[in-house]
Amino acid sequence: MLFLQISKIVNPIFSKLDKWFDLGIGFVPNIIIAILLLVIFRYLAGYGGRLMSKGLSRASHNEALVSLISSLTRIIIITTGLFFALGILGLDKTVTSLVAGAGVLALAVGFAFQDLTTNFISGAFIAIQRPIKVGDIIETNGFTGKVKSINLRSVIIDNLAGQQIEIPSKDIFQKPITNFTYSGERRVQVECGISFTEDLC
């Protein structure tokens, strides 16, 4: 009698375990394919990042911009591989949830770090358009000096008096810039007085 009661409890458990085992065995090929896909995309991300870095190095000498875009390229490729792997495993709902969560997170980060994001985007445009270069003498935002470095977040200038001034990239990008070394020539106006008794001819 006791044996029958134990059997009634144990048999459904073993039956459920057998089904799970069969499902697990059938799921192994998909797991292997997903892992191989992630490995392939990992190598593609490294190759794509290096290729992007070489191409951008020829167009821009801003190491920060090159490094940022190369890293973003790697992240995008790896994320794409992850979505494909999850799709192979049949986790479509997980993929949808991840995409929705990433969108909400990006929106929240954008609002929280609005000024920082604006500076990064402005720094990227400055690096691409190159209105100023390292070594230029410029006047902007009420400061005059020699450009020491151009970063994504800010531009550092030497005010020719021994101090360094760090100006946010958005202020450089959005406000007028006077570049005294752009053409290599500069006109200097000197005010002077002339006596009325002098002959102007």
Side-chain angles (χ1 to χ4, degrees):
M1 191 71 176
L2 182 61
F3 181 74
L4 290 175
Q5 291 179 351
I6 294 173
S7 297
K8 289 180 181 179
I9 297 172
V10 172
N11 286 339
I13 295 175
F14 277 109
S15 177
K16 181 66 72 174
L17 290 175
D18 287 337
K19 289 181 180 179
W20 287 352
F21 182 76
D22 292 338
L23 288 173
I25 293 297
F27 211 59
V28 168
N30 289 344
I31 294 175
I32 294 174
I33 293 173
I35 292 173
L36 289 175
L37 197 64
L38 287 175
V39 172
I40 291 171
F41 270 87
R42 173 66 181 85
Y43 281 107
L44 286 176
Y47 179 75
R50 289 192 296 271
L51 192 65
M52 184 66 70
S53 179
K54 289 181 181 178
L56 289 174
S57 296
R58 297 174 183 173
S60 175
H61 298 288
N62 192 318
E63 295 181 0
L65 176 65
V66 173
S67 176
L68 177 64
I69 296 180
S70 299
S71 299
L72 288 176
T73 302
R74 295 189 187 96
I75 292 171
I76 290 171
I77 294 175
I78 291 176
T79 303
T80 303
L82 178 62
F83 286 160
F84 276 119
L86 291 174
I88 290 173
L89 294 175
L91 302 175
D92 298 331
K93 292 183 179 179
T94 304
V95 174
T96 304
S97 299
L98 284 174
V99 172
V104 173
L105 181 63
L107 187 63
V109 170
F111 276 113
F113 299 98
Q114 187 174 2
D115 289 340
L116 185 62
T117 304
T118 304
N119 281 325
F120 271 106
I121 295 174
S122 299
F125 275 108
I126 291 173
I128 293 170
Q129 296 180 353
R130 302 186 69 183
I132 57 174
K133 300 186 295 294
V134 174
D136 286 354
I137 304 295
I138 65 170
E139 180 181 350
T140 182
N141 293 276
F143 300 101
T144 302
K146 184 177 182 180
V147 178
K148 301 294 290 184
S149 65
I150 302 173
N151 306 313
L152 284 179
R153 194 183 65 82
S154 62
V155 174
I156 298 176
I157 65 173
D158 182 355
N159 68 350
L160 306 178
Q163 292 92 29
Q164 287 190 349
I165 302 168
E166 186 172 3
I167 306 174
S169 296
K170 68 174 183 178
D171 291 337
I172 296 287
F173 185 70
Q174 295 175 351
K175 295 181 180 179
I177 304 172
T178 302
N179 193 333
F180 296 107
T181 55
Y182 180 77
S183 64
E185 299 178 353
R186 182 176 178 182
R187 184 181 68 183
V188 179
Q189 291 180 293
V190 179
E191 295 183 2
C192 60
I194 300 177
S195 172
F196 289 108
T197 59
E198 297 292 333
D199 185 2
L200 299 179
C201 298

